[in-house]
Amino acid sequence: MLREAFFGTRRFDDFARRVGIGEPAVAARMTELTADGLLDRVPYQEPGQRTRYEYQLTKKGRDLLPVITALRELATPGPPTPVDRPCDPFTAAAKRPSVRGAVRHGHDVAPEELEIQAGPGLISA
């Protein structure tokens, strides 16, 4: 679920579809992640519709980006590639416990500066 949140997934139905598990399991996991302070449940309302909720990463959740990145490096058949937007087209170096701009800047890359590009391991929306 956290991986999907880093990829920009915000809504319950999108989490269920992208992760490929049933709604009861998604609900239980989202409740745990919210209780643990990794996600915030934020209300939104589309015109003419009832109030619904989306999930946003908290600072605590965003701080897990290096861990998620390291785990993604171990994925097969291959992880999606994080690209540092300010350094584009240079790929962010994800071999260390932090995500850093690879070529030009060598700076720590914040989650909002990353764009996830499709790779063979990414489930398309």
Side-chain angles (χ1 to χ4, degrees):
M1 298 294 183
L2 283 177
R3 180 192 70 177
E4 295 305 324
F6 279 113
F7 290 165
T9 304
R10 299 286 178 260
R11 298 186 178 175
F12 182 90
D13 293 340
D14 294 334
F15 279 104
R17 186 180 77 253
R18 291 179 62 89
V19 176
I21 60 177
E23 289 185 9
V26 173
R29 188 66 182 135
M30 299 311 268
T31 298
E32 290 173 6
L33 292 170
T34 301
D36 290 340
L38 300 173
L39 294 175
D40 278 333
R41 190 171 177 242
V42 180
Y44 73 92
Q45 186 173 17
E46 294 180 4
Q49 299 293 318
R50 66 181 172 88
T51 299
R52 301 192 68 176
Y53 295 88
E54 67 179 16
Y55 295 88
Q56 297 177 359
L57 287 162
T58 63
K59 180 183 179 330
K60 183 178 177 181
R62 289 188 306 272
D63 286 346
L64 288 174
L65 176 61
V67 175
I68 299 296
T69 301
L71 290 172
R72 201 170 47 237
E73 287 292 313
L74 300 174
T76 55
T81 304
V83 174
D84 176 16
R85 288 187 193 125
C87 290
D88 191 63
F90 301 101
T91 302
K95 300 292 183 200
R96 297 179 282 284
S98 64
V99 178
R100 300 180 63 80
V103 177
R104 288 192 226 167
H105 302 123
H107 63 286
D108 285 341
V109 180
E112 59 273 6
E113 293 176 322
L114 284 177
E115 175 182 320
I116 303 299
Q117 295 182 345
L122 181 65
I123 300 169
S124 60

